[in-house]
Amino acid sequence: MQTVIEKIIRDKVELLMIEKPENAPILFRVMRSIRAGNYRPKTLVDAIFQRNDPINIYETWCFAQIWAALAQGRVGTVWIRVSDSPFSNADIDHNNTILAHLPAPYRAEFSPKQSGDDGFVEWSEPITLQGAVPRHSPADDRQPPLPDTFRAEPRSIPLEVGYTSAEKTYEHLFIKNGALARFPYESNHIVILYNRRFEEEFAQHFETDMMNREEKRGRGNLWTT
């Protein structure tokens, strides 16, 4: 079943291609490049999304937003090495055994929910995150440079283990809480993705969405609520 966030993303992508048709071939080129495995490093791609079936155009848009944020240094990363790669959601004990040996100051718990997160990762003292600049694409020169590293105060963030979608990662980083811990299959690292500008960007998005809503309400179209 499609979630509210997934519907919002699909509507946004479709409106983007309708209003600016030149964006459609760009998205399809990115999608082909992702499917061909041209984005590197693969471990970072798996942190953004990992699935059995091919990525679609909506997830491609989400992936592109996340990749750009990484390239610009708006989203930073921490890589936590672990003793083994994750098992399926049914193997709760094994996954918690892996998580029980995280280095200080980290602590994690695997407790998968049918329609929610797979648990949490938290840290008890400030940590330093690296501004992640993917090798595949340079940082956007139009954006002011950001420091290579930044600190995050102690907090708890959602954990996603194994397969996940780019839409869900986008939701965590830009809509829900600004951070996500990813533990992909066949990986011996947990990757923390952290949006250092989440509060600022969330406020901007909210203001823009409200203005767009008022404009569309004034036109009396199908977007009126």
Side-chain angles (χ1 to χ4, degrees):
M1 175 181 286
Q2 189 181 83
T3 68
V4 172
I5 299 299
E6 287 172 345
K7 184 180 187 310
I8 291 172
I9 291 171
R10 280 158 169 70
D11 289 345
K12 188 180 186 72
V13 173
E14 289 169 6
L15 187 63
L16 177 70
M17 292 191 291
I18 290 171
E19 292 186 341
K20 295 184 177 180
E22 63 272 20
N23 285 318
I26 296 174
L27 273 176
F28 279 101
R29 282 199 299 271
V30 173
M31 183 170 66
R32 282 198 303 269
S33 187
I34 295 170
R35 290 186 175 187
N38 294 333
Y39 281 83
R40 291 287 187 271
K42 183 179 183 299
T43 48
L44 184 58
V45 175
D46 287 344
I48 298 172
F49 82 98
Q50 190 180 52
R51 54 189 300 159
N52 273 323
D53 51 337
I55 192 170
N56 60 39
I57 197 68
Y58 306 106
E59 287 207 66
T60 296
W61 181 84
C62 292
F63 175 89
Q65 304 308 304
I66 298 166
W67 198 263
L70 286 163
Q72 294 159 7
R74 289 156 44 215
V75 170
T77 59
V78 168
W79 299 69
I80 307 169
R81 189 170 182 85
V82 293
S83 60
D84 201 354
S85 57
F87 281 55
S88 69
N89 282 4
D91 204 337
I92 295 175
D93 290 342
H94 187 98
N95 286 330
N96 273 316
T97 297
I98 298 172
L99 298 178
H101 298 91
L102 296 188
Y106 299 102
R107 190 175 77 88
E109 181 179 306
F110 180 69
S111 52
K113 303 176 181 65
Q114 187 168 1
S115 57
D117 308 323
D118 291 332
F120 67 86
V121 171
E122 63 183 16
W123 50 96
S124 57
E125 60 187 61
I127 60 173
T128 299
L129 294 101
Q130 179 68 44
V133 182
R135 293 193 297 256
H136 182 82
S137 57
D140 189 344
D141 292 335
R142 295 171 298 178
Q143 299 291 332
L146 293 169
D148 290 339
T149 61
F150 63 96
R151 282 161 57 93
E153 295 301 315
R155 64 175 294 190
S156 177
I157 64 174
L159 170 68
E160 291 289 347
V161 176
Y163 294 127
T164 197
S165 67
E167 288 173 321
K168 196 165 189 178
T169 302
Y170 176 90
E171 178 181 349
H172 280 294
L173 293 179
F174 300 109
I175 299 174
K176 289 181 70 174
N177 45 52
L180 176 66
R182 276 285 292 134
F183 191 13
Y185 287 132
E186 300 180 2
S187 173
N188 59 353
H189 285 88
I190 293 173
V191 184
I192 293 177
L193 299 166
Y194 199 101
N195 183 356
R196 71 167 92 181
R197 290 185 166 177
F198 172 68
E199 292 184 3
E200 171 190 341
E201 292 179 346
F202 183 84
Q204 291 174 350
H205 290 162
F206 180 78
E207 182 179 354
T208 300
D209 288 345
M210 289 300 293
M211 291 174 62
N212 290 340
R213 185 180 293 273
E214 289 301 319
E215 181 182 352
K216 290 165 183 174
R217 181 179 290 115
R219 294 202 300 264
N221 61 18
L222 292 175
W223 290 80
T224 302
T225 58

